Amino acid sequence: MKMKMKMLHCVLIATVIGITNGNEIKGIYWVEQPLFPPSAINTSLFTHVYYAFLVPNNTTYQLHVSNTTATTLATFTATLSPAVSTLLSISGANADASVFATIASDAAARASFINSTIAVARTFGFHGVDLDWEFPRTASQMGDMGKLFAEWRAAISAEAAATRRKPLLLSAAVYYAVDYFLSETTSLRYPVDSINDNLDWVNVMSYDLNGPWSNRTGPPSGLFDPRSNLSVGFGLGSWIRAGVRPNKVVMGLPLYGRTWQLRDPSVHGIGAPAVGPGPGSDGAMAFFQVLEFNNQTGANVVYDDETASVYSYSGSYWVGYDDPVTVTVKIGFAQARSLRGYFFWAAGLDTSDWKISTQALNAWISCINDYGGVK
Ligand SMILES: *[C@@H]1O[C@H](CO)[C@@H](O)[C@H](O)[C@H]1NC(C)=O
Ligand SMILES: *[C@@H]1O[C@H](CO)[C@@H](O)[C@H](O)[C@H]1NC(C)=O
Ligand SMILES: *[C@@H]1O[C@H](CO)[C@@H](O)[C@H](O)[C@H]1NC(C)=O
Ligand SMILES: *[C@@H]1O[C@H](CO)[C@@H](O)[C@H](O)[C@H]1NC(C)=O
Ligand SMILES: *[C@@H]1O[C@H](CO)[C@@H](O)[C@H](O)[C@H]1NC(C)=O
Ligand SMILES: *[C@@H]1O[C@H](CO)[C@@H](O)[C@H](O)[C@H]1NC(C)=O
Ligand SMILES: *[C@@H]1O[C@H](CO)[C@@H](O)[C@H](O)[C@H]1NC(C)=O
Ligand SMILES: *[C@@H]1O[C@H](CO)[C@@H](O)[C@H](O)[C@H]1NC(C)=O
């Protein structure tokens, strides 16, 4: 009886605040780095870890796995499973997007590609596959992407039935908003119906919204922006308004900041004129490096309520980033919108004691059963 009451209580709270219980996503991408082996990932902080990336061959449209890569893939899944689910992520920001335009446009190429992704995922013990095509650039490419997802889902279901195994998960990393902007006036909508029908969820890349490529400072991943649509809240809202079910939407969180060099060190707010990137490689700094920068330079740290973001500045350098506080606010927003969860880019960029990842885990409210599991 006591147990029942507790469960009811939990369900009520969950219903009122719209929590998707038990199958929330707390993901992180891992990029091969010699100094950050998969064994360094604290798996109690995550539910899903993505291997980034494999890229299809541009003539066979299949994933060709070299012996070195085979060792890395096998080590990755063996190290992390069964504590977390592993997904094989394909393509990525540095891959040639035109290869995907070709693959998605042609039935034989799609079949060849899909077949190889399932084979590689199964061979190396992954639980799913993830597509990071950055980005479809025409309306017909968006349509082709929808076809690709439908055929991929059909192949995954057929393979699961034939082998009597749990179907592979299928997800995709997508633009921060449902309309991919080609210019200020032209945009392309993602294939919403196909996403609802065929993907387990989308990883919305709710970051890199401002950066040193612009001549004014701004939050790289601000929750709000009263002056523009370049905000996490606008982007996530656009996915929902377009009809993607909230439980298919996973919010992206950056474990890095973007840096600028100020034009005038005495003008250092959001929107301050800047002349280019500040410290860090290409104007990006891992969260742990931002803390080092703040400490070493005695930087001023400012929480901006209007954008729910944090920035720091010292001399002519300016850094916009996320920290445990801003991530907590964003997770509250995501849960209020009944989203499925969050993911981070990327492992190795948090502090060595996982400050942001730990805070995110604790901030996401879920109903815990008597055995410490999630109902
Ligand atoms: C991993 O994270 C959990 C949850 O925060 C924590 O209890 C544990 O100490 C961490 N393990 C390591 C090795 O840091
Ligand atoms: C793609 O595969 C073909 C056939 O196996 C091979 O000849 C070619 O070198 C590969 N291309 C790249 C860029 O690896
Ligand atoms: C495939 O990739 C190779 C290596 O990047 C490049 O030289 C070649 O032109 C590409 N072929 C096609 C058909 O895109
Ligand atoms: C890759 O591994 C296979 C099987 O273990 C082996 O036959 C092949 O010679 C290896 N290839 C290279 C280039 O090392
Ligand atoms: C991929 O194609 C091969 C050769 O046609 C076939 O044997 C295999 O079953 C296919 N795999 C999947 C997952 O469809
Ligand atoms: C900053 O960029 C905007 C838009 O690209 C441009 O209109 C403006 O002139 C630039 N301002 C400076 C100070 O470079
Ligand atoms: C933001 O998006 C909305 C809805 O798509 C649009 O009506 C509005 O003009 C956009 N605002 C700006 C500042 O671009
Ligand atoms: C900050 O820097 C000082 C020395 O400059 C060092 O002693 C201290 O441990 C640092 N604190 C943190 C939190 O990194």
Side-chain angles (χ1 to χ4, degrees), residues 53-215:
F53 291 104
L54 286 191
V55 177
N57 176 286
N58 64 6
T59 55
T60 66
Y61 309 127
Q62 302 195 327
L63 302 175
H64 294 184
V65 177
S66 71
N67 285 6
T68 321
T69 303
T71 306
T72 315
L73 293 171
T75 306
F76 180 83
T77 54
T79 306
L80 297 170
S81 306
V84 292
S85 295
T86 52
L87 288 94
L88 175 61
S89 190
I90 296 158
S91 204
N94 296 326
D96 177 1
S98 73
V99 176
F100 263 91
T102 306
I103 292 177
S105 70
D106 179 84
R110 287 195 300 269
S112 178
F113 168 73
I114 288 169
N115 178 297
S116 94
T117 64
I118 296 173
V120 172
R122 287 302 195 194
T123 301
F124 294 98
F126 284 90
H127 302 97
V129 287
D130 174 62
L131 177 66
D132 183 10
W133 173 2
E134 298 190 22
F135 290 97
R137 285 182 197 275
T138 64
S140 68
Q141 286 177 21
M142 284 293 186
D144 293 343
M145 182 187 230
K147 270 186 225 162
L148 176 69
F149 290 156
E151 291 169 15
W152 212 339
R153 168 58 63 195
I156 283 173
S157 301
E159 188 268 353
T163 60
R164 294 165 172 265
R165 299 175 73 174
K166 215 173 152 191
L168 290 169
L169 296 165
L170 180 61
S171 66
V174 294
Y175 191 58
Y176 91 100
V178 71
D179 296 305
Y180 178 72
F181 289 95
L182 295 170
S183 71
E184 287 197 1
T185 50
T186 329
S187 65
L188 299 171
R189 179 149 293 191
Y190 270 87
V192 165
D193 293 340
S194 180
I195 287 172
N196 273 331
D197 292 346
N198 302 304
L199 296 188
D200 287 289
W201 63 82
V202 285
N203 283 339
V204 179
M205 294 186 276
S206 319
Y207 41 74
D208 292 344
L209 306 181
N210 288 292
W213 48 86
S214 135
N215 58 17

Side-chain angles (χ1 to χ4, degrees), residues 178 235-247 249 337-339:
V178 71
L236 293 172
S238 76
W239 282 98
I240 308 299
R241 286 192 298 276
V244 175
R245 289 198 292 281
N247 73 355
V249 176
R337 299 290 187 288
S338 305
L339 305 191

